[in-house]
Amino acid sequence: MPSFKVWKTHAFHSWSNATIFLVTEPSWSLTAAWMSSYLTVYLVALHAPVTAIGLAIGIAGLLQAALLPAVGWVSRTIGRKSVIQIGDVLGWVVAIGLWIADVSVVWVLIALVLNQLSNVVTPAWNGLFSEDITVQQRSHGYLVLQILTILGGLVVPMAAIWEREMGVARSGRLVLIIALPMLAASIAVRQWLLHESSGEKAERSARQSGTWQKTWPRIRPALRGQGIPLAMLRVLAQFSFSLFITFAPLTFVNRLGLNMHADQLAFLPLAASIFGLGLWIGHRRFATLSPYTSLGLSIAALLLGFALLGSGAAGGFVTVLLAWGLVMSGQSVFWSSQTTYWLSWVPDFARVDIQGYVGAVGALLVSIGDPLLAAWVVRHPFLFYWGNFGLIVVLGLLWFSIGHLTASRSDSSP
């Protein structure tokens, strides 16, 4: 009888790391869909002040800014898989466990810091996901990943019933109690199936042979030409999206904002899921678009979504749903398109490190902006929406500059 290890090798030998990530992603999709529309409202229901939430996000940003530059070194030392697993256990299992438990506000905010810190694993996650597959598979894989992320909102409307019956605090705790074992099971499956990539093997071989370059010579090629605007796209998007996902639900239920009832927030992920279904139906055609084109489409969706919110969502709740669907699907397509474009353009040996350094700059911006703007956002919701609109205009200008650089390089080629 074959051993368990041999059976595992034969049963899953054809599965890439990307496939393993996609198969286990629904646990995060469902949880993140609820968190996108309810988390800050839930934390306020647990008596966390808005300013304290902003401060916790700021502290997490500072810690990310300190840790992200070292994520490449840590990944090479203990492996990409270990970085991902440690981050997911602390940022999701431990953090959600604290939110479920009857703990003080200080621990509630510590859990928020841990959850935000889980973003530190992103460079290692992207590295393991994108290595050992072709550029076409990478583009398709990221699109499927974002579709799965959006589709997680299909079940969140059930929370509206629980919220009406039990209130935000108790219903939120119930959602997290359901989510926790699913996340833990997915992390266990990843621990079992994820394997070392060829990129990690090449890095280890280069270190052992003494041919591994120092950091700056390695990442310098990634910052030439299109590298700077691609990096700036990521930094500004990280700032805008962090602000929106953190504080938008509070502005929606604020009387100075859209003045929605808390149970209506449960239908926001459904709106995003409808857009996700549209992407799924047309994903074969969408996957044929260049990352540059799909990046432009995502920016257009974000502009329209923020404009609808800034105009007061004339037309009522249906317009709010439309705006939310545009913004959330726009964010998802932005990340998949920008990451595909960036990682296809950045040299393999700089892939994890450059994400770490650029992510640190974005985290530093978040660490400054979120604490300073938290109270202001709640007092001036519509200026907040238009401020995000302005940031997306800047993203559009950066996107245009990337196209101009590409065209210039093509014209100068012999």
Side-chain angles (χ1 to χ4, degrees), residues 121-140:
V121 311
T122 300
W125 198 103
N126 281 329
L128 207 56
F129 184 94
S130 62
E131 289 162 355
D132 299 328
I133 56 177
T134 66
V135 173
Q136 291 75 19
Q137 289 172 327
R138 187 182 303 150
S139 179
H140 180 76

Side-chain angles (χ1 to χ4, degrees), residues 150-151 270-280 321-326 329:
I150 295 172
L151 290 179
L270 179 62
S273 294
I274 292 172
F275 280 83
L277 286 171
L279 284 173
W280 179 255
L321 294 178
L322 175 62
W324 182 266
L326 285 166
S329 58

Side-chain angles (χ1 to χ4, degrees), residues 29-377:
S29 300
L30 295 169
T31 309
W34 177 85
M35 288 172 64
S36 69
S37 56
Y38 266 111
L39 181 59
T40 46
V41 178
Y42 173 66
L43 297 181
V44 169
L46 296 182
H47 311 294
V50 174
T51 51
I53 292 173
L55 181 60
I57 300 289
I59 292 171
L62 280 175
L63 292 173
Q64 287 181 60
L67 294 173
L68 277 167
V71 74
W73 177 83
V74 175
S75 295
R76 289 188 293 274
T77 302
I78 66 174
R80 302 188 193 345
K81 173 180 169 181
S82 295
V83 170
I84 295 164
Q85 293 295 88
I86 292 170
D88 283 346
V89 168
L90 292 175
W92 292 91
V93 175
V94 174
I96 288 177
L98 288 172
W99 285 330
I100 291 172
D102 187 12
V103 293
S104 67
V105 172
V106 172
W107 282 104
V108 167
L109 295 172
I110 288 173
L112 180 59
V113 172
L114 287 174
N115 179 253
Q116 293 294 306
L117 271 179
S118 66
N119 292 326
V120 169
V121 311
T122 300
W125 198 103
N126 281 329
L128 207 56
F129 184 94
S130 62
E131 289 162 355
D132 299 328
I133 56 177
T134 66
V135 173
Q136 291 75 19
Q137 289 172 327
R138 187 182 303 150
S139 179
H140 180 76
Y142 273 112
L143 177 61
V144 172
L145 174 67
Q146 297 308 324
I147 291 171
L148 287 173
T149 300
I150 295 172
L151 290 179
L154 286 173
V155 301
V156 178
M158 290 193 309
I161 301 172
W162 298 339
E163 197 282 327
R164 273 196 296 267
E165 294 294 326
M166 298 183 286
V168 173
R170 291 178 60 198
S171 64
R173 185 172 280 111
L174 177 60
V175 169
L176 294 176
I177 287 172
I178 295 171
L180 185 57
M182 295 193 303
L183 289 166
S186 293
I187 291 171
V189 171
R190 289 182 176 181
Q191 180 64 30
W192 177 36
L193 294 179
L194 288 175
H195 49 271
E196 186 181 41
S197 69
S198 61
E200 290 182 278
K201 293 176 183 177
E203 289 176 358
R204 185 175 66 250
S205 175
R207 291 199 312 276
Q208 290 172 347
S209 63
T211 59
W212 186 252
Q213 289 182 307
K214 292 184 178 180
T215 301
W216 176 241
R218 218 162 358 95
I219 68 172
R220 183 168 50 194
L223 295 174
R224 291 172 177 165
Q226 300 171 63
I228 292 295
L230 280 167
M232 290 176 66
L233 270 173
R234 200 165 190 87
V235 168
L236 290 179
Q238 186 175 341
F239 177 61
S240 172
F241 298 170
S242 171
L243 274 175
F244 185 76
I245 207 69
T246 302
F247 298 114
L250 290 174
T251 67
F252 288 178
V253 297
N254 190 339
R255 62 182 180 82
L256 297 175
L258 301 182
N259 201 27
M260 293 167 50
H261 191 277
D263 62 7
Q264 291 179 303
L265 295 175
F267 295 95
L268 296 179
L270 179 62
S273 294
I274 292 172
F275 280 83
L277 286 171
L279 284 173
W280 179 255
I281 292 169
H283 75 281
R284 293 186 184 277
R285 180 176 297 178
F286 197 87
T288 62
L289 298 176
S290 69
Y292 178 78
T293 301
S294 57
L295 187 59
L297 291 174
S298 72
I299 290 172
L302 288 163
L303 285 172
L304 181 55
F306 284 125
L308 288 174
L309 291 174
S311 63
F317 187 50
V318 173
T319 306
V320 175
L321 294 178
L322 175 62
W324 182 266
L326 285 166
V327 170
M328 298 309 292
S329 58
Q331 288 187 15
S332 293
V333 174
F334 178 92
W335 286 130
S336 63
S337 303
Q338 196 274 347
T339 303
T340 301
Y341 195 127
W342 202 26
L343 296 189
S344 299
W345 188 83
V346 169
D348 291 349
F349 52 80
R351 189 170 288 156
V352 174
D353 289 281
I354 192 67
Q355 290 181 82
Y357 281 94
V358 172
V361 176
L364 188 60
L365 195 58
V366 169
S367 72
I368 297 170
D370 277 41
L372 290 178
L373 295 175
W376 178 86
V377 164

